Amino acid sequence: MVASWWSRARLGIFVHWTPASVPGWAPPHVPAAGLPAAGRRAPLGWTPYAEWYENSLRFPGSPAAAHHRATYGTRPYTDFGRDFEDGLATWDPAAWARSFREAGAGYAVLVTKHHDGFCLWPSETENPHRTGWHTTRDVVGEFAEAVRAEGLRFGVYYSGGLDWTFDDRPIGTAADMFSAVPRGSYPAYADAQLRELIRRYRPDILWNDIAWPASAAEIRSLTDYYRFTVPHGVVNDRLLPYAPHWRALRLPGARSLYNWWDRRTVAQGEGFVPRTPPAFDFRTPEYARYTGSDPYEITRGIDHSFGYNRNSPPDAFIGREALASLVRSTAADGGNLLLNVGPRGEDATIPAEQRLRLEWLAEDAAETVGGPPPR
């Protein structure tokens, strides 16, 4: 059974903030069903998720690659790490945390390492392929301190399934994604980093993404360590154990069959519901409703991206009534909403369109009898 504090929260804030937030660019959203018809047989290369910018650059014909050539020429993605670090000079974590609390959130989850492998803390686990690929400032620690000071619970997101510093093959489809889960030294690296995050910050939420590069037994060892360290903590549903047959997905026949199966099994509409792992506390449908009986948390961006996308058109942002209805209906169904903000990389600010949605939530929370939900 999921912890009672999590069930009472009803609203959480997700924060995707990576070096990709510096270019902050992705093409407008195209419904998944329309991508093959448009000739886009590598849809993840055309994704509206701006945090996938580095992967999109690996497809020379993609909109992101064309934008990068026109805007940055041959500048490598790694340069954005320095720009991101410079942008921290104007970061105000206390102001972020205050706006999350005023919006009625009960917790906040920070992306500590996304698929590009960049860490938002000075990790003691050195990346063997990209030295210094992390902030010198302890962003994770400062964020945790700020949100906890506002009475919110704190969670860490970690990309366990993908790390492009260990495997940089272009990912165009679901089959490509699972075949790109790194092997070799990566499982030990990921295990060491996640244990480091648990030990240093004692997060209330452990939020893994994509899959885990090791066996179910190794996942149990990791989650046992987490539950011993944080007895009240909760774990999401994306610690999917590594399966040796994923390597076969590189073969054309297996790749095509898996992609067909994936299209048949994703949720109807924009999003999807992750595969069910052996152990979890709550489900995480993404841009989708959940119809099962487990505790769940709908996760989505304010627009069609998680990372900041300066190219999002006005109609990509969720409207006031739609947002209020989503919060109400999810809470009424017993679920949580994990609403994402994607700050700008160049100056560590939350863009105006996103701040406006937080202000709407704050106004609604202030009008609610009893105020925001209990912590």
Side-chain angles (χ1 to χ4, degrees), residues 16-362:
H16 277 65
W17 186 36
T18 72
S21 305
V22 175
W25 198 94
H29 169 73
V30 174
L35 287 170
R40 300 170 188 174
R41 304 197 181 280
L44 290 177
W46 271 253
T47 181
Y49 284 8
E51 67 277 13
W52 279 66
Y53 188 81
E54 184 180 18
N55 179 70
S56 297
L57 296 182
R58 299 189 176 116
F59 293 88
S62 73
H67 168 79
H68 190 86
R69 287 191 297 269
T71 309
Y72 303 105
T74 59
R75 190 180 184 197
Y77 179 80
T78 51
D79 275 7
F80 296 130
R82 292 194 295 273
D83 294 344
F84 184 92
E85 187 95 35
D86 291 343
L88 292 174
T90 52
W91 181 40
D92 187 350
W96 284 15
R98 185 167 56 253
S99 69
F100 300 163
R101 189 259 304 161
E102 290 172 347
Y107 58 93
V109 179
L110 176 68
V111 170
T112 65
K113 187 207 80 165
H114 202 257
H115 310 331
D116 63 1
F118 187 81
C119 296
L120 297 194
W121 81 103
S123 178
E124 64 192 36
T125 309
E126 187 65 38
N127 187 314
H129 304 292
R130 199 173 286 179
T131 302
W133 191 232
H134 58 74
T135 56
T136 54
R137 186 168 166 179
D138 187 4
V139 172
V140 177
E142 292 184 46
F143 183 93
E145 182 179 6
V147 299
R148 283 170 167 159
E150 291 291 340
L152 279 65
R153 302 277 184 162
F154 164 67
V156 298
Y157 163 110
Y158 185 86
S159 173
L162 295 176
D163 190 314
W164 298 328
T165 68
F166 283 79
D167 191 319
D168 62 358
R169 282 172 297 152
I171 297 173
T173 67
D176 295 339
M177 182 167 63
F178 283 101
S179 69
V181 175
R183 300 299 292 155
S185 63
Y186 179 66
Y189 172 84
D191 184 87
Q193 281 207 322
L194 199 51
R195 288 175 187 266
E196 183 184 339
L197 287 167
I198 294 167
R199 184 176 65 254
R200 290 179 64 161
Y201 308 109
R202 286 171 164 72
D204 304 289
I205 303 165
L206 200 63
W207 215 105
N208 183 65
D209 202 6
I210 307 296
W212 193 251
S215 68
E218 290 167 296
I219 291 173
R220 281 193 298 272
S221 173
L222 181 61
T223 55
D224 285 349
Y225 173 71
Y226 173 61
R227 296 187 190 283
F228 176 80
T229 307
V230 188
H232 63 270
V234 294
V235 180
N236 80 328
D237 63 344
R238 302 193 185 190
L239 280 164
L240 192 69
Y242 178 81
H245 70 262
W246 288 350
R247 280 180 288 185
L249 296 177
R250 302 176 191 180
L251 302 174
R255 182 175 182 268
S256 298
L257 180 63
Y258 185 90
N259 288 331
W260 172 84
W261 177 77
D262 183 73
R263 287 192 296 272
R264 289 285 302 273
T265 55
V266 296
Q268 294 299 310
E270 296 177 340
F272 70 96
V273 178
R275 314 286 180 239
T276 306
F280 62 92
D281 291 319
F282 61 94
R283 303 288 273 133
T284 59
E286 188 166 316
Y287 283 92
R289 301 296 299 185
Y290 183 64
T291 58
S293 58
D294 298 305
Y296 74 91
E297 169 191 82
I298 294 175
T299 179
R300 60 155 295 154
I302 285 173
D303 56 356
H304 289 291
S305 179
F306 286 91
Y308 169 52
N309 184 7
R310 67 183 78 245
N311 192 43
S312 282
D315 62 0
F317 295 90
I318 190 169
R320 182 163 193 168
E321 181 51 41
L323 177 58
S325 176
L326 180 60
V327 172
R328 287 195 304 266
S329 62
T330 304
D333 191 44
N336 288 358
L337 171 64
L338 184 61
L339 184 69
N340 182 81
V341 296
R344 289 156 46 109
E346 61 266 41
D347 58 13
T349 61
I350 297 174
E353 299 90 342
Q354 299 182 34
R355 288 200 314 273
L356 178 61
R357 272 70 185 174
L358 294 178
E359 290 166 5
W360 290 346
L361 291 173

